[in-house]
Amino acid sequence: MKNTTRFKLNAYMSVLAEINKIDLSALNSKFTIEPSVSQTLESKIQESSAFLQAINIMPVSEQSGARLGLGIGTTIAGTTDTTQKEREPTDPTYIDGDGYKCTQTNFDTALPYSKLDMWAKFSDFQVRIRDAIVKRQALDRIMIGFNGLKREKTSNRVQNPLLQDVNIGWLEKIRQEKPAQVLGQHIGDDGKVVSDKITVGKNGLFRNLDAVVMGAVSEKIGVQYQDDTELVVICGRQLLADKYFPLVNQSQPNTEALAADLIISQKRIGGLQAVRAPYFPANALLITRLDNLSIYWQEETRRRSIIDNPKRDRIENLESVNEAYVVEDYDCTCLVENIELLEQEPEKEPGEMSEAEIARIAAVAASVVKSMSGAGSSAASADTTQTGDAGDGSKGGA
């Protein structure tokens, strides 16, 4: 490391020691980050990602507990004949299901001396170090949220390149805790999960993705959320061509700090806004509100140690925090997996479909979804066959 780089690095380390109220010599030991600094760091992580800004990242004081919820888990309006019974108030925030449990995630990074020497040429040297760590933590959280299947005591990045073994993510939480909200799998007679293929296109279960979404909303999304204007469809990259996604962060300039990781479609799917986020499974759809997805981090658990390791010619930043990936209300979700796109029918231009046609499409699609939930994909195939050209109406694009 060059002497000029060492000088700037020492200044950076001095600032870290000062804001965390510890001696400079204590940085190479594990220390607990000050609460205010930890909150600032979490805010920087969230601000570095458009997707993370759209979901919830919330501090919790306990390692485990009840989910915070969306705040509208049920209705509260009603009437009571008080001559017969007392009025019974309802908790609108109550939601069924399991709570959360925060577990430790390590975010360990190494910065080679050579890279620090290059960064030392710039006046924002300290900001570059911070941003390199913050942006990777943000992307890794998104990757875990969409791909996490379990938490191993020691994760293996080679065997699980999408961080499947670091923590249980949102999609796996839906599969495990509310499998009824998943299309693309069903429970067999032996109690095991059986994967179903969701074919979309000519002679498929659904004629297009619009029918899939309309049917899923009608049959899987709770009635209190079906008309929610904040419902969106998070899409896999294989499902829609790039032409459907011309807007990136609503024309956000590439030079701005906001990461261009949330792609918004100009078209709708089944009447809902379509979005694409990093690392979402390529052949799947998730219907939900973005603020129905949360990351909880436990206060006073963010630990850090910064080690100058000349044996490896690098600076090592060892950082950890207890966190949990949470779906607030499963009634506001429907996960559609194992989608296979077949030959596509030509779409009608917008405005060519009447309201009656749209209603018929939604009704037929809902019946297919309902039959799949009851008896697996074979029943769905039979139901689609019996409805004849019910899918024809699905040809109109949203």
Side-chain angles (χ1 to χ4, degrees):
M1 183 188 301
K2 297 178 180 179
N3 289 336
T4 53
T5 304
R6 173 66 63 186
F7 178 80
K8 288 192 172 185
L9 181 63
N10 287 343
Y12 171 70
M13 304 275 271
S14 297
V15 170
L16 286 181
E18 180 181 355
I19 62 177
N20 284 287
K21 301 178 182 178
I22 60 174
D23 293 334
L24 182 60
S25 59
L27 285 179
N28 62 1
S29 303
K30 182 180 285 190
F31 63 92
T32 300
I33 298 178
E34 276 288 298
S36 60
V37 178
S38 184
Q39 180 62 67
T40 300
L41 180 58
E42 289 290 344
S43 297
K44 289 293 183 182
I45 293 172
Q46 189 166 18
E47 290 168 4
S48 72
S49 164
F51 178 79
L52 292 184
Q53 289 183 51
I55 69 171
N56 308 303
I57 298 182
M58 295 180 288
V60 292
S61 57
E62 303 296 331
Q63 184 175 14
S64 60
R67 288 171 288 153
L68 301 181
L70 290 173
I72 50 171
T74 184
T75 56
I76 59 173
T79 61
T80 303
D81 181 355
T82 55
T83 64
Q84 302 295 323
K85 58 181 292 188
E86 294 181 354
R87 291 167 62 174
E88 297 180 0
T90 300
D91 178 4
T93 65
Y94 175 78
I95 47 178
D96 292 326
D98 298 334
Y100 72 89
K101 183 178 181 181
C102 294
T103 56
Q104 180 175 323
T105 301
N106 298 331
F107 295 100
D108 300 337
T109 54
L111 295 175
Y113 290 166
S114 58
K115 181 163 292 185
L116 293 174
D117 284 337
M118 287 190 295
W119 288 354
K121 301 175 184 178
F122 302 95
S123 59
D124 61 345
F125 174 77
Q126 296 185 16
V127 174
R128 285 173 182 259
I129 294 178
R130 182 202 66 191
D131 288 351
I133 297 171
V134 162
K135 290 179 180 179
R136 189 63 253 176
Q137 287 190 26
L139 291 172
D140 282 1
R141 277 180 161 174
I142 298 172
M143 185 180 291
I144 295 168
F146 288 137
N147 297 279
L149 301 177
K150 56 186 176 180
R151 185 188 187 277
E152 296 286 4
K153 290 183 178 180
T154 300
S155 59
N156 188 316
R157 189 172 290 108
V158 175
Q159 294 180 4
N160 298 284
L162 296 178
L163 307 180
Q164 297 96 319
D165 57 350
V166 175
N167 208 330
I168 300 176
W170 302 303
L171 304 189
E172 185 64 15
K173 286 284 181 70
I174 299 173
R175 298 184 193 106
Q176 291 184 10
E177 298 185 12
K178 204 63 178 294
Q181 300 302 105
V182 181
L183 287 178
Q185 69 173 38
H186 72 276
I187 306 300
D189 295 336
D190 56 359
K192 296 182 179 180
V193 176
V194 179
S195 296
D196 299 323
K197 187 174 291 185
I198 307 298
T199 52
V200 179
K202 189 175 182 180
N203 299 322
L205 291 175
F206 302 91
R207 282 301 175 92
N208 57 27
L209 294 173
D210 298 294
V212 176
V213 172
M214 285 189 286
V217 170
S218 297
E219 283 298 318
K220 296 297 185 179
I221 300 295
V223 292
Q224 68 270 35
Y225 296 117
Q226 288 182 3
D227 294 319
D228 195 320
T229 57
E230 294 185 36
L231 277 181
V232 299
V233 184
I234 304 175
C235 307
R237 59 181 170 79
Q238 290 183 357
L239 299 184
L240 294 174
D242 290 342
K243 66 180 180 181
Y244 290 106
F245 290 93
L247 298 182
V248 179
N249 285 328
Q250 300 176 357
S251 300
Q252 196 79 20
N254 291 331
T255 55
E256 293 196 15
L258 188 63
D261 60 7
L262 185 66
I263 306 178
I264 304 170
S265 172
Q266 287 182 325
K267 286 195 173 185
R268 290 178 173 265
I269 305 177
L272 302 182
Q273 184 74 61
V275 300
R276 276 176 55 187
Y279 314 121
F280 189 81
N283 63 340
L285 296 173
L286 177 63
I287 303 168
T288 189
R289 283 170 40 164
L290 289 175
D291 64 357
N292 195 32
L293 306 177
S294 299
I295 299 173
Y296 295 174
W297 59 275
Q298 187 181 359
E299 296 172 319
E300 300 184 10
T301 64
R302 187 171 280 274
R303 313 278 195 259
R304 191 173 187 180
S305 178
I306 301 177
I307 301 172
D308 185 350
N309 187 353
K311 293 181 179 180
R312 298 293 302 274
D313 290 331
R314 67 188 188 185
I315 298 296
E316 298 170 348
N317 178 75
L318 308 182
E319 199 167 334
S320 65
V321 65
N322 290 0
E323 61 183 11
Y325 295 78
V326 178
V327 178
E328 298 292 354
D329 192 345
Y330 292 109
D331 287 342
C332 189
T333 62
C334 180
L335 174 61
V336 187
E337 300 187 288
N338 301 318
I339 298 174
E340 180 182 352
L341 293 181
L342 307 176
E343 179 184 352
Q344 299 298 297
E345 297 277 3
E347 294 186 352
K348 291 183 179 180
E349 293 297 323
E352 289 186 10
M353 298 177 65
S354 67
E355 291 185 4
E357 286 181 294
I358 296 175
R360 186 172 68 86
I361 298 167
V364 173
S367 69
V368 175
V369 172
K370 186 175 182 178
S371 66
M372 292 180 66
S373 302
S377 61
S378 58
S381 300
D383 185 73
T384 306
T385 303
Q386 291 167 7
T387 55
D389 65 349
D392 291 343
S394 305
K395 288 186 279 187

